[in-house]
Amino acid sequence: MRWAAFSCVLVPVVLVVYGSSFAGATGSAVGLAAVTAVCRLLLRQSERAAARPGSGRHRDGGANGESSPLD
């Protein structure tokens, strides 16, 4: 998470230094922060699902006990 925060600060600074407008740099920072937040949320959700016993999409049988066609 530290790298994400660092890039959310660094990218707008670099944009302003190289001639972008302050408003454009601010928009980039907000966009990066939003993408970072969504990615973090999805990662946590995935980690929680993986930690649950019996979770996952691969099971031995189908809904009514039949084996999958890939067996």
Side-chain angles (χ1 to χ4, degrees):
M1 185 62 190
R2 287 180 235 149
W3 281 107
F6 176 72
S7 67
C8 287
V9 172
L10 182 65
V11 169
V13 169
V14 170
L15 287 173
V16 169
V17 167
Y18 283 99
S20 181
S21 68
F22 185 73
T26 303
S28 296
V30 170
L32 281 170
V35 169
T36 300
V38 169
C39 289
R40 186 175 183 190
L41 178 93
L42 291 173
L43 182 63
R44 283 188 175 189
Q45 182 180 5
S46 171
E47 288 173 344
R48 284 188 199 130
R52 274 187 253 139
S55 68
R57 300 180 70 180
H58 302 290
R59 291 185 283 177
D60 293 330
N64 51 3
E66 299 173 0
S67 64
S68 69
L70 298 176
D71 286 345

